[in-house]
Amino acid sequence: MLKNPKHMIRAMVQRVVNVLISLLITIFPKASTCLKPLIPDQESSSSSSSNSLCLSWRLGVESNNVRGWRTVPAGCLDYIENYMLGGQYERDLEFIVDQISSYVDQEIVVQEDGMDAFILDIDDTCLSNICYYKTKRFGCDPFDRVAFKTWALMGRCPAIPAVLGLFLKLVANGFKVFLLTGRDAITFRQVTLDNLHNQGFIGYERLIMRPMSHQGKSAIIYKSEIRKQLMGEGYRIWGNVGDQWGDLQGEYLGNRAFKIPNPMYFVS
């Protein structure tokens, strides 16, 4: 009995994607010393109690039950540092990306009209700012707009490997991937284009950055308007991926939303 040609082609494409992901993650390693794995200290009973409170706080943040916070609680610095650099953050990322990948493989049939779309946020979704936030005590210091602008203009944000792999799979499977960011288009467009390219994000449909007309609007309003525009162009938004709830709320959300972990800052 002959196998379905479409299934054979999809299997071949998936094998090619897996090889490309392995190659690109090798080419674009996390070279920054600030991303070296952290070896956690031996826990005392007092630090264990503190960690339990901080774990509850992080759960509240990721589930959007804690909102509008300006800084990570000072007592949670060691916990957040251990979370971000000790391996759990990467394991959580990989788990979530596996869920997205299963959704893509099992629930979506990509059409031939080229209108099946995914939306990915950029900062701390595609590109990591951990190196910057390490200098800001992993979010325990208040947000410094000038310092972050200086960091972003350097164009040195490393790719988040799990999301890079997801991105490459989406492109290879025929999705139109839109990179939607709150970064200011006038200030950051060229450096963002270069940073994405240098980290392996090649083949997306469009980079959408905040124009002057959207300055001052919340992320929820701004990104809702962009999604409305994309749907008006005929795109079917199958997935929306971001590290902030502001990326994933509002109107014209598409079929599914996926939250990437980020306990270092909050954007409304």
Side-chain angles (χ1 to χ4, degrees):
M1 181 169 138
L2 293 176
K3 292 184 178 180
N4 188 317
K6 289 186 177 179
H7 291 169
M8 294 176 63
I9 292 171
R10 176 167 287 190
M12 291 173 62
V13 168
Q14 189 59 55
R15 286 195 292 271
V16 171
V17 169
N18 291 338
V19 171
L20 286 173
I21 290 171
S22 298
L23 286 172
L24 281 166
I25 291 176
T26 302
I27 294 169
F28 303 107
K30 297 184 294 180
S32 302
T33 56
C34 70
L35 297 179
K36 288 183 178 178
L38 183 72
I39 300 175
D41 296 330
Q42 187 74 24
E43 283 190 351
S44 65
S45 59
S46 60
S47 67
S48 178
S49 175
S50 175
N51 284 348
S52 294
L53 290 172
C54 294
L55 173 59
S56 297
W57 178 83
R58 182 172 66 82
L59 175 62
V61 165
E62 297 296 358
S63 59
N64 202 31
N65 290 316
V66 178
R67 303 181 185 182
W69 51 279
R70 292 180 177 272
T71 61
V72 171
C76 294
L77 170 58
D78 290 343
Y79 171 81
I80 296 299
E81 181 178 10
N82 286 333
Y83 174 74
M84 297 304 297
L85 299 182
Q88 189 59 52
Y89 168 69
E90 290 184 342
R91 288 190 289 272
D92 289 350
L93 271 171
E94 289 166 0
F95 180 83
I96 293 167
V97 167
D98 284 346
Q99 302 308 303
I100 304 172
S101 185
S102 295
Y103 164 64
V104 168
D105 290 340
Q106 299 173 15
E107 299 185 36
I108 306 173
V109 177
V110 177
Q111 303 300 310
E112 297 181 357
D113 60 2
M115 303 303 286
D116 294 298
F118 253 77
I119 297 176
L120 273 61
D121 174 55
I122 292 181
D123 283 300
D124 294 299
T125 299
C126 291
L127 300 177
S128 173
N129 291 303
I130 293 179
C131 293
Y132 168 77
Y133 276 96
K134 185 175 182 180
T135 70
K136 298 298 180 181
R137 302 194 307 147
F138 295 93
C140 288
D141 292 344
F143 181 68
D144 185 333
R145 190 173 301 277
V146 173
F148 183 78
K149 177 180 178 181
T150 300
W151 155 255
L153 286 173
M154 295 169 69
R156 296 179 184 174
C157 302
I160 295 177
V163 180
L164 175 59
L166 171 66
F167 167 83
L168 294 171
K169 175 174 182 170
L170 292 172
V171 172
N173 283 7
F175 290 94
K176 295 297 191 296
V177 179
F178 294 88
L179 303 183
L180 174 56
T181 175
R183 288 188 179 193
D184 169 15
I186 295 175
T187 305
F188 295 107
R189 184 166 188 80
Q190 191 57 54
V191 71
T192 303
L193 284 166
D194 294 342
N195 197 165
L196 288 165
H197 184 275
N198 292 339
Q199 291 298 315
F201 288 92
I202 300 168
Y204 52 85
E205 182 69 11
R206 198 182 307 168
L207 169 62
I208 304 173
M209 308 187 74
R210 190 188 288 266
M212 285 296 296
S213 60
H214 285 75
Q215 296 298 323
K217 293 183 179 180
S218 71
I220 293 174
I221 294 174
Y222 157 57
K223 294 196 172 185
S224 291
E225 291 180 1
I226 298 299
R227 292 192 297 266
K228 178 181 179 181
Q229 174 187 321
L230 293 176
M231 287 186 172
E233 294 175 22
Y235 288 102
R236 296 179 289 274
I237 300 175
W238 286 101
N240 187 12
V241 184
D243 68 297
Q244 298 292 315
W245 280 103
D247 301 328
L248 309 174
Q249 293 180 314
E251 300 180 285
Y252 306 96
L253 296 174
N255 201 52
R256 286 199 59 180
F258 296 92
K259 172 73 167 64
I260 296 293
N262 182 359
M264 299 185 295
Y265 59 88
F266 176 88
V267 177
S268 61

